[in-house]
Amino acid sequence: MSRSEGIRSARPAIGLVRSLVVTNMIDREPSDTAPPPPSILWNLGLLHGELRARHGLALHDHLVLAVLAEAEAEAGGGPVPVPVARLTAVLGESGSRMTFLLKGLQAAGLIERDRRAGDRRTVEVTLTDAGRARSAAAERTAHARLSRRPGA
């Protein structure tokens, strides 16, 4: 088979492929393709905004409260002192950033910071009743936000 014969024999197949591609492009309605779901970061951004609007704290502040609430739940309830070093490790923050966050939460009356009795260098944090209530309310808000239709 010569080169020109091979090209002539392939032309009908190439034409058929072109017509199928063009037909599919024309026949497809824009509503046939569902938009991709919003990203996780988009949903976290929406959650952050809702937590800020409803509860007056940033998502990161609520994460601190959630770690403290989880420590209480693991211990069977009631105030449980959590070392700042544990919070720093769990949240992956520097000590100075964690100190900044904790000062704000303490000023809002949501936590108490105290030095450990036997070791004055170790600072421990406990939830107050107000912090416990705010954490529970934020948890309900987060569940409601994340169970809604994405992006809504």
Side-chain angles (χ1 to χ4, degrees):
M1 178 189 274
S2 71
R3 184 172 185 264
S4 61
E5 289 174 342
I7 292 173
R8 271 192 296 258
S9 65
R11 281 189 181 149
I14 293 171
L16 177 63
V17 168
R18 279 189 189 143
S19 67
L20 287 173
V21 168
V22 169
T23 303
N24 282 340
M25 290 173 66
I26 293 170
D27 290 345
R28 179 171 281 178
E29 293 291 321
S31 62
D32 289 347
T33 59
S39 71
I40 291 172
L41 291 177
W42 175 262
N43 283 316
L44 281 175
L46 293 175
L47 176 60
H48 171 77
E50 193 162 340
L51 288 172
R52 178 73 96 184
R54 288 184 181 219
H55 307 289
L57 295 174
L59 178 59
H60 215 116
D61 295 326
H62 288 292
L63 289 174
V64 172
L65 296 179
V67 169
L68 295 172
E70 184 179 315
E72 286 185 355
E74 287 174 0
V80 174
V82 176
V84 172
R86 178 176 170 199
L87 286 174
T88 302
V90 168
L91 296 174
E93 290 292 345
S94 68
S96 59
R97 172 76 175 142
M98 187 57 62
T99 299
F100 173 78
L101 290 171
L102 294 176
K103 282 182 180 180
L105 291 170
Q106 186 176 17
L110 303 175
I111 64 165
E112 291 178 355
R113 291 186 314 158
D114 292 312
R115 297 204 180 272
R116 188 179 285 169
D119 177 11
R120 300 299 298 161
R121 291 180 295 166
T122 302
V123 177
E124 295 178 324
V125 181
T126 55
L127 274 176
T128 63
D129 290 337
R132 214 170 280 107
R134 180 94 55 107
S135 179
E139 191 72 27
R140 287 189 298 274
T141 299
H143 281 286
R145 157 51 66 200
L146 297 176
S147 67
R148 276 187 247 151
R149 184 174 53 95

